[in-house]
Amino acid sequence: MLDKLKDTIRSKELICTGCGKKIEEGQRFTATLTMPSEKDMLVSRLDNAIARTAESVLCEGCK
């Protein structure tokens, strides 16, 4: 349980699936997500939720 809490607090890197660059704070990006069921809905930091559920993340240059 403690590990889940640590993952929720810790920031995850968002990596562009097109070019592999790390998406930095303040940069624009596009993410493709599938709406999860209510029981699987994530409640955490936005970067963690996107990193775990996104099918693709594209930086502004690859978009």
Side-chain angles (χ1 to χ4, degrees):
M1 172 128 179
L2 185 58
D3 291 334
K4 283 186 179 181
L5 182 60
K6 285 180 183 177
D7 283 345
T8 308
I9 296 170
R10 222 178 289 148
S11 182
K12 296 218 180 201
E13 291 184 349
L14 289 179
I15 306 295
C16 176
T17 54
C19 65
K21 288 189 329 186
K22 179 181 172 186
I23 297 174
E24 300 288 340
E25 183 177 326
Q27 287 182 321
R28 292 181 165 269
F29 66 93
T30 302
T32 303
L33 304 167
T34 301
M35 183 67 154
S37 65
E38 190 171 332
K39 71 174 190 146
D40 293 332
M41 190 69 65
L42 296 170
V43 178
S44 65
R45 291 176 47 109
L46 181 60
D47 56 345
N48 290 353
I50 292 172
R52 284 187 280 178
T53 60
E55 296 164 14
S56 67
V57 177
L58 297 174
C59 66
E60 193 70 4
C62 292
K63 189 168 100 170

